[in-house]
Amino acid sequence: MNKSFAVLGMGKFGQRLAVDLYEAGADVLIADDDEEIINQMTNKATYAMVADLADPESIGQLGLSNMDVVIICMARHIESSIMCAMVAKEAGVSKVIAKASSKRMKDVLLKVGADEVYLFEEEAASRTARKLLSSDFIDYFDLSDDICIVDMHPKKEWVGKNLISLNLRGKYGINVVSINKGAGYTNMIDPNEPLTKDMDLLCVLSKKDASKLK
């Protein structure tokens, strides 16, 4: 029985990897949000699907539970990479491999469930070490000159309120991509559920907006 692979993200690396696996006799599912690229790759994979790889529902429709290995090839798209890693592990995929653009991104992807993460590009020049911007922060991941990921407890004034009423995206530019309620991170977020002080929130935001959380 042929081994099955899902290659998510059809940049140059993803395309080359998918073609090599397919030509070696593997069953290969490819997915990307660019319909034109998927149409060009149709004859170079077993299954070719257009999907929003930042949307957990769209990722869930790919049938990743049937794959032996899922390979995430979107090193420049942290939210999509996080979502794909979490959905794949929740679907029971035994091995999830991801491509990262920095050590920080590698740490985040391992944290949310990826089994192996590889740095195929050198990190940018070392940045000045940053102090955590708030006492609520558990960890801070400096991804680029503009974007960071913050692992944090809800601020005191957020406790007891839900994400809809807090409007964190509108007020702070915060995108909550995962919540840990004690059993590990999950992308299954109920926006109506009140936050508790023991929750961990994994958030993507700009560094400019992060300064508002001091």
Side-chain angles (χ1 to χ4, degrees):
M1 185 175 180
N2 292 343
K3 200 166 187 178
S4 58
F5 297 85
V7 181
L8 308 181
M10 288 290 101
K12 290 182 179 179
F13 177 84
Q15 290 183 44
R16 184 69 264 164
L17 178 63
V19 169
D20 287 350
L21 289 170
Y22 183 67
E23 291 181 348
D27 290 326
V28 180
L29 179 152
I30 61 171
D32 195 274
D33 62 1
D34 190 321
E35 186 174 0
E36 182 177 351
I37 290 177
I38 290 298
N39 288 337
Q40 293 171 356
M41 293 287 294
T42 298
N43 296 325
K44 300 176 183 178
T46 313
Y47 310 99
M49 303 178 70
V50 178
D52 180 356
L53 297 178
D55 176 26
E57 184 175 348
S58 182
I59 300 166
Q61 294 174 355
L62 295 175
L64 298 183
S65 61
N66 299 314
M67 298 292 114
D68 295 311
V69 182
V70 169
I71 308 163
I72 302 164
C73 303
M74 300 169 290
R76 296 298 180 184
H77 300 280
I78 181 63
E79 289 188 61
S80 296
S81 296
I82 288 172
M83 286 299 177
C84 288
M86 289 194 297
V87 173
K89 292 310 291 185
E90 288 172 2
V93 178
S94 60
K95 179 169 284 190
V96 176
I97 300 171
K99 179 175 182 279
S101 61
S102 70
K103 176 64 166 57
R104 289 298 192 184
M105 183 174 177
K106 177 179 179 178
D107 292 342
V108 173
L109 291 171
L110 289 171
K111 189 168 191 173
V112 299
D115 299 292
E116 299 176 15
V117 181
Y118 296 99
L119 288 163
F120 290 95
E121 301 172 30
E122 290 185 358
E123 289 188 77
S126 298
R127 298 179 177 87
T128 303
R130 292 177 175 269
K131 292 182 179 180
L132 296 181
L133 299 177
S134 166
S135 59
D136 298 306
F137 286 11
I138 301 167
D139 212 343
Y140 176 97
F141 300 91
D142 187 2
L143 292 178
S144 71
D145 292 336
D146 303 312
I147 303 298
C148 64
I149 285 184
V150 172
D151 187 0
M152 65 180 293
H153 294 306
K155 295 179 72 65
K156 185 177 180 180
E157 59 267 29
W158 298 356
V159 174
K161 301 177 182 178
N162 62 38
L163 293 175
I164 292 176
S165 63
L166 287 170
N167 188 25
L168 298 181
R169 180 175 294 185
K171 291 181 180 178
Y172 298 102
I174 292 175
N175 294 302
V176 179
V177 297
S178 183
I179 290 182
N180 184 354
K181 294 185 282 188
Y185 285 92
T186 176
N187 65 289
M188 302 298 290
I189 300 172
D190 181 357
N192 293 299
E193 181 180 4
L195 301 180
T196 69
K197 64 180 182 180
D198 298 321
M199 288 180 175
D200 297 345
L201 309 179
L202 196 65
C203 309
V204 177
L205 66 162
S206 71
K207 293 178 182 176
K208 180 179 179 181
D209 288 326
S211 66
K212 299 176 185 177
L213 297 176
K214 290 183 179 180

